[in-house]
Amino acid sequence: MSGESPALYESFDDRFRTGQCMNGDEGLEVLYTGCRWAEGPVYLPAWRQLIWSDIPNDRMLRWDEETGSVSVFRRSAGHTNGNTLDLEGRLVTCEQGNRRVTRTEHDGTITVLADRWQGKRLNSPNDATVKSDGSIWFSDPDFGITSDYEGYRAESEIGANNVYRIDPVTGRVSLVADGFGAPNGLVFSPDERQLYVSDTGAGFIRVFDVREDGTLSDGNVFAATGARTAARFDNLRFDDDGRLWAAAMADGVHCYDPDGTLIGRLNVPGAVSNISWGAAKRNRLFITAETSLYSLLMGVTGTHPTGPGRRPWLPAR
């Protein structure tokens, strides 16, 4: 029948079906609508809550899993974008408007982790990921300084859009990858031997080998939007079977086999900005798309923001 919405799951390869990627809810659950542009969901296991950003409205929102209620977590938040957790379960946030990466301490105070590189102000940090050694890696495109909609219009002091690493001991900010149109989402492979970075400007997902000294290889193209002209890659997440899931804006959520094959996708209303795994089993996929927050209980399990199987609020053994 004409006018029907497309099916939630769309398979391009049998591995999408046999890998249990289509074994889950038959529809998306709408958890909240009313944002101007939603991004940056991260699940806080200790509190059973999800924090995400509403960038143009300059606020962070909080959804409570137990009650289903939504409240304002922080207002006048620096036009925050991406959020993640560090090894102690503290919130790490990319503040586009304030042009910095911060950490929210357990007592609620905010610590600035990075706001400059070689004495120059960052552009507008977008997304961050944490390695098991405690280092924080983040992308720094210019989205927050091109207009006043998601930040404050300004000239780039650096003159390029790069990826950086914050040393866990010294706090030193180092450039680890450049040559991007607009670096966006980034995530480590489950074994942390590779770093995957989406380039929204170029239509690629690039993969870099991670060296022991914290530097990266030159990087190769893992996936490209190609003929899928509606796709623009945003943030990235792995599941426990090594498949890469990518927020692909107007093309939904892509699922890639470890060999780089696009094996399936999720059709989502509106342009998908970010995705994040959560809930007790990490098999609930949270999706931000334009004005809304959705969730989907799935047959696959996602890796934790700080690595597979780790619980960052507990001491390492």
Side-chain angles (χ1 to χ4, degrees):
M1 182 183 298
S2 62
E4 288 187 347
S5 300
L8 175 60
Y9 305 96
E10 186 173 1
S11 176
F12 305 131
D13 186 292
D14 282 344
R15 286 172 287 184
F16 193 62
R17 176 181 53 81
T18 59
Q20 303 301 312
C21 298
M22 301 176 68
N23 180 19
D25 290 344
E26 295 183 0
L28 293 170
E29 182 178 358
V30 181
L31 302 180
Y32 181 79
T33 190
C35 297
R36 272 197 164 88
W37 183 257
E39 290 246 18
V42 63
Y43 183 79
L44 282 64
W47 301 103
R48 295 185 61 190
Q49 294 179 346
L50 184 95
I51 301 291
W52 81 100
S53 303
D54 181 4
I55 305 176
N57 281 327
D58 195 15
R59 61 179 182 169
M60 300 171 73
L61 298 172
R62 170 176 48 204
W63 171 81
D64 186 277
E65 185 176 21
E66 182 65 25
T67 65
S69 63
V70 172
S71 59
V72 174
F73 174 75
R74 183 178 297 156
R75 197 186 299 274
S76 297
H79 295 282
T80 60
N81 194 320
N83 298 283
T84 191
L85 301 178
D86 73 0
L87 301 184
E88 297 182 28
R90 295 171 295 188
L91 184 67
V92 174
T93 298
C94 294
E95 299 182 13
Q96 282 193 169
N98 291 333
R99 300 170 71 170
R100 65 187 190 179
V101 179
T102 61
R103 180 179 66 221
T104 301
E105 308 295 346
H106 293 306
D107 64 3
T109 58
I110 296 175
T111 300
V112 178
L113 301 177
D115 61 1
R116 294 178 183 273
W117 173 68
Q118 294 187 343
K120 301 174 183 178
R121 291 192 69 186
L122 298 172
N123 294 330
S124 56
N126 184 284
D127 196 14
T129 189
V130 178
K131 200 168 180 282
S132 61
D133 64 359
S135 59
I136 297 172
W137 305 57
F138 66 94
S139 58
D140 186 41
D142 60 2
F143 300 147
I145 59 174
T146 56
S147 76
D148 292 318
Y149 187 69
E150 292 190 347
Y152 302 97
R153 184 179 303 175
E155 294 294 326
S156 172
E157 295 184 14
I158 295 172
N161 300 322
N162 303 320
V163 173
Y164 301 93
R165 174 185 183 269
I166 305 173
D167 187 273
V169 177
T170 66
R172 180 174 178 266
V173 178
S174 302
L175 187 152
V176 291
D178 55 14
F180 295 94
N184 198 323
L186 68 171
V187 66
F188 285 102
S189 60
D191 61 10
E192 295 189 330
R193 294 180 179 177
Q194 295 175 310
L195 178 72
Y196 291 72
V197 183
S198 68
D199 189 336
T200 304
F204 297 136
I205 298 173
R206 293 170 62 185
V207 56
F208 302 81
D209 292 329
V210 182
R211 304 187 183 103
E212 291 186 5
D213 63 357
T215 61
L216 301 177
S217 66
D218 290 337
N220 298 309
V221 174
F222 173 77
T225 55
R228 306 197 70 83
T229 56
R232 286 193 299 131
F233 295 124
D234 204 300
N235 91 318
L236 310 168
R237 291 290 183 266
F238 273 100
D239 66 26
D240 280 342
D241 291 316
R243 291 175 292 252
L244 182 69
W245 297 76
M249 299 298 284
D251 209 41
V253 179
H254 287 191
C255 178
Y256 292 91
D257 187 77
D259 68 5
T261 302
L262 176 61
I263 60 174
R265 71 167 181 154
L266 305 176
N267 288 301
V268 179
V272 178
S273 59
N274 277 194
I275 56 176
S276 181
W277 300 103
K281 298 179 182 178
R282 299 196 307 278
N283 66 335
R284 189 171 190 172
L285 185 66
F286 294 94
I287 302 169
T288 52
E290 295 186 4
T291 63
S292 301
L293 172 69
Y294 302 95
S295 79
L296 172 68
L297 199 65
M298 301 190 70
V300 298
T301 302
T303 58
H304 196 277
T306 56
R310 294 204 297 274
R311 301 294 193 274
W313 62 92
L314 295 178
R317 295 182 179 179

